[in-house]
Amino acid sequence: MDFKNEAETVRALGDMFNNGYVYRGVKSVSWSIAEQTALAEAEIEYDDKHESTAIFLAFPIIQNDEIIDESIVIWTTTPWTIPSNRAIAYAVDADYLLIEVKQKHEKAAAKVGAKFHIAKDLIEEFTKYAGIEEYSVVKELKGAEYEGVVAKHPMYDRTAPLYEGFHVTTESGTGFVHIAPAHGQEDFVIGKQVGLDLRCPVDGKGDYLPFTDETAGDDCIKLAGKNIWKSQKAIVAQLAETGNLLRWYKMVHSYPISWRSKKPLITRVTPQWFASMEHNDLRKKAQAEIKKVQWIPAYGQARIEGMIENAPDWCLSRQRAWGVPITVFSNKETGEVVADKKIFDHIADKVEEMGIDAYNMLSIEDLLPAEFKHLAPVLEKENEILDVWFDSGTTFRHVVNAREELKQDQADLYLEGSDQHRGWFQSSLKASMMTQGKAPYKGVLTHGFVMDGEGKKMSKSIGNVMAPHQVNDKFGADILRLWVSTTDYAEDVRISDDIVKQTADSYRRIRNTFRYLLGNLNGFNYASDKVEYADMPELEKWVLEKLAETTKEVKEAYQAYNYRKVYTLLHNLCAVELSAMYFDIRKDTVYCDAATSLRRRSAQTAMYHILQALLTHLAPVLAFTAEEVNKSFFGEDEKSIHLKDFTEEKSEWFNDTIAEKFEKIWAIRDAVNVALEALRADKVIAKNMEADVKVTVPADFDIAELQACNLEEILMLANVDFVKGEELKAQASKTSYHECPRCWNYVESLEGEVCGRCAEAL
C-alpha cells in the first residue's frame, strides 16, 4: 500500500479516538480459532451444510437446597458451551407446561415419572425427539412464574438460576435457553445485566482454561487444556452418565465460518477495541445520512438501514502480526491508554515517510512528539492490528479527500457487489460518520455476479469460466462493454458464447447505422449546407422529434445508472425508427435527388444531428467504436469523443403536433402493409412502389392534412387516395403508373425517359 494511504489510515483512527468513538472493552465477539483472532460481521460467511451435535438436556430444579423431581429442559447445538453455563433464560409472556412421563420408547433416556418444563408450543416436537410416547400435563404456567427459580448445573457443583430472556422464542427448541455469557451475544448482555460470571473459559486456540474445572466433582471429566471440538463427545457422554441427557443427534444446519479459513467460528468474550455506534447519536445520524444517498438498486437502502439498525459496536481489533497496527500506547503499570490526536498525527508523519513498519521499527520515544517523549519509559505499544474493513472503510480519505484533482468530502459513487452492504459500504459509512460527520458517498451501486450461460457459478474445475480477456480477444472490447449494458446488473447475470454472439448482432446493427450516416454525410458541410428546422419537410421534423425524446430519456437513464435502458433506447432507435423507417424512406432522396436539393440537404442536416447524438450518447458504452467514427468523420486531429459533452436537444425538436400527426401516419402504414402483403403473396406486385392504395380513415383523421404530407413518398407507393369510413383500413391494387428507370419510382407520366424529379437532378 502507498505510504500516504497507510498514514491516512492512522490519521483516521486518530480522528475517531479524538471524537470519542473508540474504547477498550470486554464483549462477546465472533472468534476464529483457526486464525486466533476476532472477526467482524463482514468477515463471516455461513456454511449451510455444517453438522453439529444437538442435545436436549435437563437441568434439575432446586428448592430449599434440595433437588426436586422437576427439570428445566434446554436444547442446544453447542454442547461444548455447557461447561460455561451460568443460567437459563425463559420468555416472560410464553405459555409453558409441566409434563410427567407416562410411557416412553424402550431406548429413551427419560424415565417414567420424570417431570419436565417445556414451552407449550414445542411440547410435541420435544416428546417426539425424547422418545416420550405418553405424558400427562401436571400444570400450565406463564413464563413470568419462573422468576426466582434455580436449577442445578447438569455437570458441575453449581447452580443455574432462571432469568427473563429478551431473545427467547417458542419457535424451536424448548422455550428455555441455556445462558453461557462467555459464548453468546445475548447471553453476554443478560449475564452483564444480572451479574453472572463473565469470564471466558476458552482461550484463543480453542482450549479450555484451568478454571473451567473449578466446580467439577471428583467423578466429573476434567477439561482444562483440552480442545472444545475434540471434547464434545466426552461432554455428551458425561451428561448421559449424570442422567440429564435426554437425547443427542446430528443436525445439519447453517453455521458461521471464517471467510478466509472456512473453519467454524465460536462466540467468545475477549477484551477488544471497539468503535461505539451509540456515542454522539451515531446510529440515528447514520440512518438519517443513508436517506440522503442514491441507492441503486433502490432496495439497497433498506438492506443497509437494517444492518445499521442492528449493528453492534464495531470491533476494530484483530489478533494478528500483519496489518495496520492500532497505534496507541498504554501505561505499563496502570493500563491507562495514551491516544492523543497529536501522537496519531506524529506517527502518521513517520508512516508517510517510512511505511507502516515504522510503528514496529521505531522506538516509543521516536514515535512520540516532543511534548510526550518524557512518557516513553512507562509506555508500551499496543500489539493488535486494525480490522481490514477499517483499511478499506477509510479509503475515502486518501482516494477522494486528499487528492488535489478531486478534493471533495464525498465520492460521487461507490461501486461493488451486492454482498458489500455488510462489508465495504457499511464500514465506509461508519468510518466517515465518525470522522467527518457525513456519508463518504453520494451514491452506491451494487451489482450481481457473472454466471455461465445456464446460470451456474463459474468454476475452473467445472471448466465453465469465461474470462473477459477471452471475450475481448474473440469479439472485441466494445462487444463486451455492450453486453454489460444489456444486462440487469442488479441480479446475477449470464454469459456464454451464444449470448455474446447475440450481442454482436446488436452491435452490427448499431455499426451499420454509423456506416449509413457516414456514407450519406460524405461531402456535407454543416456550416454551409445545413437547413433550418422551419424549412425542413415534416419527415425530418418527425425523426428529430424521436431523436430528442430518445436522447432526453438516455441522459436520464445514465443519471440513474440504468445502462440497460440506455442500450434499449439507442438500439431501438437505430433498428426501428432509423433503419426500418427513416433511412428506408430517405434512401431514395439521398441517392436520387439533386445533390443540393432542399429535401436532400434537410435529410443530411437531420442525419448530422443524429450522428452527433449517437456518437456522444453511445461513447460511454462503445468507447472504441465511437472514437473511430468521431475521427473518421471529423478528422484525426479532432478532440476525443470522450472529452465532448452529450449533444443537447433543441427545444423546437420537441414537436407534439408532428408526433401526433405521424402517429396516425404510421397507423396508416400498418394498415397499408397488410393490404400490400396480400398482393405480394399473389405475386401481383414485387415492391410497394408498384401499388396504388385507397385508405379508409375514421372521422378523427384530417384527409387534407394527410394529403399535404406526400404519403406516396413516406409510404413508398405509386398513389394514395383517402376516403372517410368507420375504421382504418386499406385496399391495394397494381398501379397503372410508369416506372422511372433511374429512381424506380412509379409516376403518372415521364418527362422523356425519366420522371420529373430525376430530369431536374440530371
Side-chain angles (χ1 to χ4, degrees), residues 95-324:
D95 295 316
Y96 291 87
L97 297 178
L98 173 61
I99 65 167
E100 181 177 346
V101 179
K102 294 297 185 181
Q103 186 174 322
K104 69 182 187 72
H105 188 275
E106 60 180 7
K107 293 184 179 180
K111 294 180 173 59
V112 173
K115 297 175 183 176
F116 302 117
H117 289 262
I118 302 288
K120 187 175 183 179
D121 292 343
L122 297 165
I123 195 73
E124 296 305 322
E125 182 179 357
F126 163 67
T127 53
K128 180 181 72 173
Y129 272 97
I132 299 171
E133 297 173 341
E134 188 178 331
Y135 65 88
S136 63
V137 175
V138 179
K139 63 177 176 179
E140 297 189 12
L141 303 92
K142 274 288 186 184
E145 296 180 59
Y146 290 99
E147 183 179 358
V149 173
V150 176
K152 182 192 177 300
H153 192 285
M155 279 178 63
Y156 297 142
D157 294 333
R158 64 172 185 250
T159 59
L162 273 68
Y163 297 103
E164 178 186 346
F166 62 90
H167 63 305
V168 181
T169 71
T170 58
E171 293 177 2
S172 63
T174 65
F176 294 100
V177 176
H178 105 84
I179 301 298
H183 299 302
Q185 292 190 5
E186 295 89 352
D187 304 44
F188 178 81
V189 172
I190 292 173
K192 195 171 182 180
Q193 287 175 347
V194 301
L196 298 177
D197 187 346
L198 301 178
R199 291 178 299 165
C200 183
V202 177
D203 67 15
K205 296 180 293 183
D207 296 338
Y208 289 106
L209 293 168
F211 77 84
T212 307
D213 299 328
E214 62 188 9
T215 58
D218 294 338
D219 297 332
C220 185
I221 59 170
K222 304 301 185 288
L223 297 171
K226 295 179 180 178
N227 179 267
I228 60 170
W229 304 122
K230 294 178 180 178
S231 299
Q232 278 212 127
K233 191 172 182 180
I235 291 170
V236 171
Q238 176 70 47
L239 294 171
E241 191 175 320
T242 65
N244 294 311
L245 182 68
L246 301 178
R247 171 74 191 275
W248 75 268
Y249 60 96
K250 294 294 184 180
M251 176 182 176
V252 175
H253 63 134
S254 181
Y255 192 87
I257 60 173
S258 165
W259 70 333
R260 289 188 186 87
S261 67
K262 309 302 180 186
K263 300 294 184 182
L265 305 179
I266 65 171
T267 303
R268 181 170 173 261
V269 167
T270 61
Q272 302 286 342
W273 288 101
F274 295 92
S276 173
M277 289 295 294
E278 309 306 332
H279 176 69
N280 198 25
D281 257 353
L282 181 79
R283 194 185 306 275
K284 183 178 179 181
K285 290 178 180 177
Q287 293 284 31
E289 197 68 14
I290 287 170
K291 291 178 170 57
K292 300 177 185 177
V293 176
Q294 180 186 13
W295 297 92
I296 306 123
Y299 61 70
Q301 178 175 337
R303 288 192 66 184
I304 199 163
E305 281 178 338
M307 290 174 178
I308 291 296
E309 179 66 30
N310 299 306
D313 288 352
W314 185 3
C315 181
L316 299 178
S317 48
R318 295 293 181 274
Q319 292 66 44
R320 298 194 188 102
W322 54 269
V324 176

